[in-house]
Amino acid sequence: MKQFLKRLLGAIPVIIGVVLLIFLMLRIIPGDAVSVLLGDHVSQDTIDRLTAAMGLDKPMWQQFVSYIGNLFKGDLGISYTYGLSVSDMIMEAFPYTVKLTAMAIVFAWAFGLLAGIISAIYQNKLLDRLFMGLSLMGLSMPVFMTSLFLQYLLAFKLGWFSLVSDGSWPTMILPAIALGWNSAGSIARMTRSSLVEVMQADYIDTAKAKGLRYRAVIVGHGLKNAMLPVITMMALQLSSMLSGAVITESIFAIPGIGRLATTAITNRDMPVLQGTVIFTTIIVIAGNLLADLLYSVLDPRIRKGQ
């Protein structure tokens, strides 16, 4: 528990560093948010008045101090483009991202574990090559390529799914598969390699000598120890799911946080982009802390070390 609290406190400087980094990057890259918002055919006087109204005429350090102060109050600012609270916009988009990520995680975990276990049982046989081939495809193809491929084949050609998603459960199946395929491949290969290694241990030979069936030995004895690194990977993959959701939501027109961030980039809407990055960073850090906690619960050796 002490180690967990240390990592929790250590996450605070990480969040502040991310806030500072994204704050500086958005202000040093070429372009002007006010000019993008007003368009080309406006007077310089109008641009100057709006710049002052937004507080963008102040020194950068003053803008940062003001933003940090509001951040501690839970205020992520007001969208330049829509004039709405960034916090409200994120809370409105977040359920779509949660639904997509949850379905992608269920697919990745279910397919990855099943494929890894079957591949370990039927090592170097047809099923092993089939599942490892599918896993390698998921690992080799980037998320946007997987999304476009599945969208073209399963939605456009075969008509099994909708080309775009309205946020309902049926229309989220294809985006979830596209988002979770890469993680499923990683889990499958990790499960297979870990389980094959565990099955070489002496206690497995002892279980076999007692007359237990091979599959019972795998499920009852080998799988428990083989799952330790796999569970850690599964928890850490939350970050890759969220980053991949940005692309997946854009391709399938899902109104989640990822699409909100890409729209903010196009519109130079700095408060919205900062808010989505900070919010996603907090979730990723929470996922990493959860992975540490789960690993310490499952492995007594780590608890003793703490």
Side-chain angles (χ1 to χ4, degrees), residues 203-218 221:
Y203 67 89
I204 298 295
D205 294 333
T206 303
K208 291 178 182 178
K210 291 180 179 180
L212 295 177
R213 296 178 61 184
Y214 184 67
R215 295 180 185 179
V217 172
I218 289 180
H221 295 78

Side-chain angles (χ1 to χ4, degrees), residues 109-120 127-128 131-132 135 184 188-189 191-192:
W109 290 3
F111 178 84
L113 290 175
L114 183 62
I117 294 171
I118 292 176
S119 296
L127 283 176
D128 181 22
F131 281 119
M132 288 301 100
S135 302
R189 297 180 74 84
T191 302
R192 180 190 182 279

Side-chain angles (χ1 to χ4, degrees), residues 222-241:
L223 195 57
K224 180 180 179 181
N225 291 323
M227 285 298 294
L228 290 175
V230 177
I231 289 176
T232 305
M233 172 184 283
M234 290 161 65
L236 291 174
Q237 281 182 342
L238 177 63
S239 59
S240 63
M241 290 283 189

Side-chain angles (χ1 to χ4, degrees), residues 69-86:
N70 292 331
L71 190 62
F72 278 112
K73 299 176 185 177
D75 182 10
L76 294 174
I78 302 297
S79 169
Y80 293 163
T81 305
Y82 303 103
L84 301 174
S85 168
V86 174

Side-chain angles (χ1 to χ4, degrees), residues 134-151 174-184 186 240-241 243-249 251-252:
L134 291 173
S135 302
L136 185 59
M137 285 180 61
L139 288 170
S140 303
M141 295 172 62
V143 174
F144 79 90
M145 183 61 69
T146 302
S147 300
L148 292 174
F149 171 72
L150 294 178
Q151 194 178 49
L174 188 61
I177 295 174
L179 178 58
W181 195 356
N182 182 277
S183 296
S186 300
S240 63
M241 290 283 189
S243 60
V246 175
I247 301 171
T248 308
E249 288 177 358
I251 293 176
F252 289 93

